[in-house]
Amino acid sequence: MVDDPSKLASPRDTFKVLLSGLTEAGDPAQAALDLRNYSQAVRGDEAFLLERYLKKVIDRIGYVYWQEIPDDPKSNTPFVYFEHPAGNIVIGPVETEKGKIWQFTPETLAHIRALYADVEDVPVAPEFAAFASTDPFFIARGLARKISPGLLTRAGPMEHWQWWMLGLAALAGIVFGFIANALISLFVRRTDSSAFFRIVEWAVRSIVLGFFLLLTLRPLGLPQVVAAPVKAIAWSLVVIGAVPVVWHLIGKVADHYRGLWQVPGYHDTLISLSTGVARVAVLVVAFLLLAEVLAIPYEGVIAGLGIGGLAVALAAQPTLQNFLSGLTLYADRPVSVGDFCKFGDQSGTIEHIGMRSTRIRSLDRTIISCRTRILPACRSRTTRIATAPGSRRRCSCATRRRPISCVTSWPSCAGC
């Protein structure tokens, strides 16, 4: 993105922006590159490497004499700075919304890797030799060159050493994913169902593998044809893996807060509703992140919701009614979790009030599920079992794997 077209008004200005911007913060040299053919997902990483490829090739061509580079803003003829069978270095005019600017052409950027491979052995002036000597990509490439020059030969869009390192990074991500699972198993007690815990284990492996792939993008200097799908896969692994992990953590936080109150009926309603809202938000954010990573045009879908908002509201009306009814239950407190109540011809202990449904355990220990929105409506027909002062107490029934909280007026838990 060019904020000031006057800085790129001629080929000479573009050269100055490239050479001076490489040493400045914020990567202003990127403005000198015509990156229209590069996807937004990898444009930053690609620009970072292409700038350094260009600088290294220019250093091997020789000193830059500004008088040899045109400085005519009115010209429309592309300037060819260097010609070579592997590719040319050309600066051409580009029309933008803010006016005409000059940038290194897409053809120059497409061939700069092959051009650098051909001129790499050309000696450079001592003052240029140290440029990018600490860059991870050129360090890795130099190490591969020392191990075996054959590793620098191309195999498709990449060199052999890049293929090998990409495979090793994926293998390392898988191995460290299993190690991370082993460490988690040592410090975390398995309290959830084994099926869900296995999902979390695979999610952790997915996240670790995704981060390993992301960390290798810049050091390996992958070209766009490989970097774009690798980056999309890596971020997809991270996002998809994060969903069950965050889902699990939300449940753990909710369980922690439930345990803070001896009689949590009133607060359990709010905790259940908040947990549901948080988990829905996680799914929505994950969907938007995946759409961004995979370049899915979700903006139009979101804008279309304004037009089809009425249809969406009608379709989601039952869910919204259940959610708002849960808020009403929390505010007015006609019933709470743990209350023994009668609903019509059914009676039992309220075990859970959620976004969509409420679970009630009857006297014969049958689970009754009803929609949350009917509870406020049944308020006048809901009878809370009368008890003498001090006789309502909370007890735990140990007949299930997890204690059941209930309110009773009997001296023992047998009625639960």
Side-chain angles (χ1 to χ4, degrees), residues 308-319:
L310 179 60
V312 174
L314 291 175
Q317 186 177 6
T319 301

Side-chain angles (χ1 to χ4, degrees), residues 6-17 64-82 89-93 100-104:
S6 64
K7 294 182 179 180
L8 301 171
S10 68
R12 187 182 300 179
D13 292 339
T14 300
F15 248 93
K16 290 180 178 179
V17 168
V64 176
Y65 297 98
W66 300 117
Q67 294 82 359
E68 298 177 353
I69 303 176
D71 192 26
D72 182 10
K74 297 181 180 180
S75 175
N76 290 316
T77 304
F79 168 63
V80 181
Y81 177 74
F82 181 68
I89 296 181
V90 183
I91 303 176
K100 184 177 72 175
I101 61 174
W102 290 76
Q103 292 178 319
F104 288 91

Side-chain angles (χ1 to χ4, degrees), residues 205-222:
R205 295 170 195 166
S206 173
I207 294 173
V208 173
L209 176 57
F211 276 122
F212 263 80
L213 292 177
L214 290 174
L215 292 174
T216 59
L217 285 177
R218 182 161 288 186
L220 293 185
L222 304 180

Side-chain angles (χ1 to χ4, degrees), residues 32-263:
L33 310 181
D34 188 350
L35 299 168
R36 73 179 81 175
N37 293 340
Y38 292 85
S39 67
Q40 193 67 37
V42 298
R43 187 170 293 178
D45 292 331
E46 280 287 294
F48 181 85
L49 276 175
L50 293 173
E51 297 161 7
R52 281 149 181 77
Y53 268 121
L54 271 171
K55 177 65 167 61
K56 282 183 169 291
V57 172
I58 292 171
D59 290 344
R60 282 157 176 76
I61 295 172
Y63 290 99
V64 176
Y65 297 98
W66 300 117
Q67 294 82 359
E68 298 177 353
I69 303 176
D71 192 26
D72 182 10
K74 297 181 180 180
S75 175
N76 290 316
T77 304
F79 168 63
V80 181
Y81 177 74
F82 181 68
E83 292 182 286
H84 190 276
N88 303 332
I89 296 181
V90 183
I91 303 176
V94 179
E95 293 294 336
T96 67
E97 296 178 354
K98 297 183 178 181
K100 184 177 72 175
I101 61 174
W102 290 76
Q103 292 178 319
F104 288 91
T105 62
E107 293 76 15
T108 298
L109 304 180
H111 297 107
I112 194 63
R113 286 180 168 86
L115 180 57
Y116 174 72
D118 277 10
V119 302
E120 185 177 4
D121 294 328
V122 176
V124 298
E127 58 267 32
F128 299 147
F131 174 75
S133 59
T134 59
D135 187 86
F137 168 71
F138 290 102
I139 291 176
R141 193 175 188 277
L143 182 60
R145 183 185 180 92
K146 290 180 180 179
I147 295 174
S148 174
L151 292 174
L152 301 185
T153 56
R154 297 186 69 82
M158 298 195 303
E159 297 172 347
H160 280 95
W161 73 273
Q162 292 174 303
W163 287 112
W164 279 104
M165 292 303 298
L166 182 60
L168 289 175
L171 181 60
I174 295 173
V175 172
F176 275 89
F178 280 94
I179 294 175
N181 279 331
L183 293 176
I184 292 174
S185 299
L186 289 176
F187 297 102
V188 178
R189 187 175 62 181
R190 187 177 297 195
T191 57
D192 297 293
S193 65
S194 58
F196 184 77
F197 199 85
R198 282 197 297 270
I199 295 175
V200 174
E201 287 180 337
W202 279 104
V204 171
R205 295 170 195 166
S206 173
I207 294 173
V208 173
L209 176 57
F211 276 122
F212 263 80
L213 292 177
L214 290 174
L215 292 174
T216 59
L217 285 177
R218 182 161 288 186
L220 293 185
L222 304 180
Q224 178 188 221
V225 66
V226 179
V230 169
K231 191 170 187 178
I233 292 173
W235 276 115
S236 298
L237 289 172
V238 172
V239 173
I240 294 174
V243 170
V245 173
V246 177
W247 188 286
H248 178 71
L249 291 177
I250 291 174
K252 289 297 182 183
V253 172
D255 291 340
H256 169 73
Y257 278 99
R258 285 191 182 100
L260 295 180
W261 293 282
Q262 289 293 332
V263 184

Side-chain angles (χ1 to χ4, degrees), residues 368-396:
I368 302 171
S369 179
C370 64
R371 294 181 180 178
T372 302
R373 60 190 173 96
I374 73 171
L375 296 184
C378 294
R379 185 174 179 179
S380 60
R381 296 185 286 112
T382 299
T383 304
R384 180 171 298 180
I385 301 300
T387 58
S391 62
R392 278 183 78 198
R393 61 184 180 85
R394 182 163 296 275
C395 59
S396 294

Side-chain angles (χ1 to χ4, degrees), residues 275-317:
T275 300
V277 172
R279 285 174 168 171
V280 170
V282 168
L283 295 177
V284 172
V285 171
F287 169 78
L288 295 178
L289 288 176
L290 281 176
E292 183 71 23
V293 168
L294 300 176
I296 299 175
Y298 62 88
E299 293 87 352
V301 177
I302 296 177
L305 291 179
I307 301 174
L310 179 60
V312 174
L314 291 175
Q317 186 177 6

